[in-house]
Amino acid sequence: MNRLAARCLTTAALLPGLLAVPALAEPPAAAAAPSPLRQAVVDRAERALTTSHAYRETRNGPRKWSTPGDARHDNYLGGADRNEYNGFNGDYWCGYFAAAMWNNRRATPDNYKSSRAWETGVGDRFHAYRPGRPPQRGDVIVWHNHNRRDPEGHVAVVVAVGGSGGRTVVTIEGNAGRGSDSITRREYRWAGTDGPRIPTNPGLKLRGFASRS
């Protein structure tokens, strides 16, 4: 899972091609259509999940291309944290991915590669977790352990919200899934005292979400 200092943006164009969001666990709740800004974030994330991306398996190795679209909705980028999102530098890249999906330098935190910065660096656009206040499409969910000596965290882009009271949240996230080095789709239940945990790193606590606008 993602280290705060580096893990988890690229301005490289994403190729066309969308994959439908899988059926939610409950019938979708009635919701207003997202704003054009929010819909653009969702569309970029869907394209990122379903199109091929450049990666390297070693620092100076040949550029290779991912093969997206398997049954797990997983787009594996090589297992070495070297891909077009982080400029092939080996950083953990969930924050790079989220920043690329927002595609607006003024809206993202300055240190967007840090998961904690998505909590502390967006001002009043960060909303602390509350069970009855789910995120909206285009928002970025933030998990973090707040351990200064060994900081870890993760962020994920919201692409769908449904179910009773909006308690089913679907994300597309970078630096996750297969080998912790994929673009992948996940589903969470927005409920409970502490909110959803990441299946591969339950020690991280949900802090809330950052809004694009």
Side-chain angles (χ1 to χ4, degrees), residues 34-205:
S35 69
L37 278 176
R38 290 180 176 278
Q39 187 61 51
V41 173
V42 173
D43 292 345
R44 279 191 289 270
E46 294 286 354
R47 288 194 296 270
L49 179 66
T50 59
T51 58
S52 188
H53 297 279
Y55 69 89
R56 292 190 174 110
E57 294 179 339
T58 60
R59 180 177 296 276
N60 297 313
R63 183 175 295 201
K64 299 185 176 183
W65 295 88
S66 67
T67 304
D70 68 15
R72 294 169 297 177
H73 305 289
D74 209 56
N75 192 352
Y76 182 55
L77 273 65
D81 294 320
R82 300 186 188 283
N83 58 62
E84 63 191 50
Y85 286 97
N86 62 11
F88 307 98
N89 65 13
D91 282 356
Y92 298 162
W93 52 280
C94 65
Y96 288 85
F97 178 79
M101 299 306 101
W102 272 17
N103 194 34
N104 185 294
R105 194 65 191 87
R106 291 182 295 177
T108 59
D110 289 339
N111 187 23
Y112 52 78
K113 69 180 183 179
S114 158
S115 54
R116 189 172 183 180
W118 288 87
E119 176 182 357
T120 62
V122 296
D124 61 5
R125 288 184 291 113
F126 180 78
H127 310 285
Y129 171 70
R130 294 208 309 261
R133 185 183 191 180
Q136 298 180 52
R137 284 173 282 184
D139 288 342
V140 170
I141 302 177
V142 181
W143 290 265
H144 199 268
N145 67 358
H146 277 213
N147 184 330
R148 291 185 179 275
R149 292 191 175 186
D150 188 23
E152 292 186 12
H154 186 60
V155 298
V157 178
V158 177
V159 297
V161 181
S164 176
R167 289 180 296 179
T168 301
V169 177
V170 178
T171 63
I172 293 175
E173 45 202 85
N175 214 173
R178 177 182 171 191
S180 294
D181 200 21
S182 296
I183 301 168
T184 197
R185 190 190 304 273
R186 283 176 171 163
E187 184 177 294
Y188 301 94
R189 292 283 295 164
W190 197 265
T193 302
D194 295 325
R197 300 280 181 163
I198 299 173
T200 54
N201 196 335
L204 297 182
K205 184 177 180 180

